[in-house]
Amino acid sequence: MLEIEYELRQRDLTAFTEHQIQEKEDYQKILRRHQITFPAVLAFLAFVVGFFYANTLSAIGIAVIAVAWHYLSPLIIKYNIRRKTLKLYSDSDKQQLLGKRRLRLEPQALVEIGEGEENRIPWRDIVRIEALKRYVFIYLDIDMALIVPRKTVQGDLKKFIQIADKRISSAD
């Protein structure tokens, strides 16, 4: 029975939501609007102010705002997503979810062990495992997953993922 231990931190609670939102068309549309359309309008305004009104200082100021908006808007949008996601969790939910956790591979189920609590998840109930650069998501449903931050994992995560993938595939 292979086992890994990890610590789930508050900033990790938003990782799954951010990952899901980044792939949605609505998010991409908002990002394009804030990174391309709005700065383009400001750049055109800077051109008009500089060329027709001969006010170079104002034109430069507007152009600087356009460039700053292009780079800062994704950070602001992500900050708002994180803030809204964290509001979904009550203080008692955070206490229950955060902290040291363990996952153990058993022949019939994945066992999640938290603060004095043990949950058995049958392999047939796990949709897939998605390994990213910073996180591993164990999908329990299309919009629900166990979040495993790679940075805090103790144990052989690579082997854990391989064995879990095989068990999920064989359970179908």
Side-chain angles (χ1 to χ4, degrees):
M1 286 185 258
L2 186 61
E3 186 173 286
I4 60 169
E5 186 174 324
Y6 63 95
E7 182 177 358
L8 194 63
R9 303 158 299 186
Q10 184 166 324
R11 65 176 166 250
D12 299 328
L13 291 177
T14 63
F16 184 66
T17 305
E18 288 177 35
H19 173 66
Q20 283 194 310
I21 286 177
Q22 286 178 352
E23 296 177 1
K24 295 195 181 213
E25 184 61 34
D26 293 340
Y27 176 76
Q28 297 298 325
K29 192 176 182 181
I30 290 168
L31 204 56
R32 278 193 303 273
R33 185 172 53 229
H34 282 281
Q35 278 196 295
I36 298 169
T37 308
F38 188 65
V41 169
L42 285 178
F44 178 73
L45 181 64
F47 172 75
V48 169
V49 168
F51 188 73
F52 292 114
Y53 294 105
N55 191 343
T56 310
L57 190 59
S58 294
I60 291 172
I62 294 170
V64 167
I65 291 171
V67 170
W69 190 264
H70 171 77
Y71 289 107
L72 293 178
S73 62
L75 300 174
I76 294 168
I77 291 169
K78 280 187 179 183
Y79 171 76
N80 284 331
I81 290 169
R82 286 180 185 139
R83 188 175 48 82
K84 288 178 183 178
T85 302
L86 286 176
K87 280 185 180 179
L88 296 174
Y89 297 100
S90 68
D91 289 336
S92 62
D93 288 341
K94 287 179 188 175
Q95 278 184 336
Q96 186 178 17
L97 292 172
L98 301 178
K100 295 273 186 189
R101 307 189 79 67
R102 288 184 305 181
L103 291 175
R104 184 173 58 228
L105 299 176
E106 290 185 355
Q108 301 302 319
L110 174 69
V111 180
E112 178 191 21
I113 304 165
E115 299 290 321
E117 174 181 340
E118 186 175 298
N119 295 321
R120 293 184 171 282
I121 306 164
W123 291 113
R124 68 180 182 285
D125 291 348
I126 299 175
V127 178
R128 72 178 190 274
I129 294 180
E130 189 172 339
L132 302 174
K133 183 179 178 182
R134 293 184 176 166
Y135 293 96
V136 174
F137 299 120
I138 302 172
Y139 281 81
L140 305 176
D141 198 355
I142 195 162
D143 60 350
M144 186 170 72
L146 296 175
I147 303 166
V148 180
R150 286 183 180 264
K151 192 173 188 174
T152 63
V153 170
Q154 296 173 355
D156 192 354
L157 183 61
K158 193 173 188 178
K159 188 175 180 182
F160 182 90
I161 293 170
Q162 289 173 346
I163 294 171
D165 267 339
K166 287 178 188 174
R167 291 190 179 163
I168 291 168
S169 299
S170 65
D172 290 334

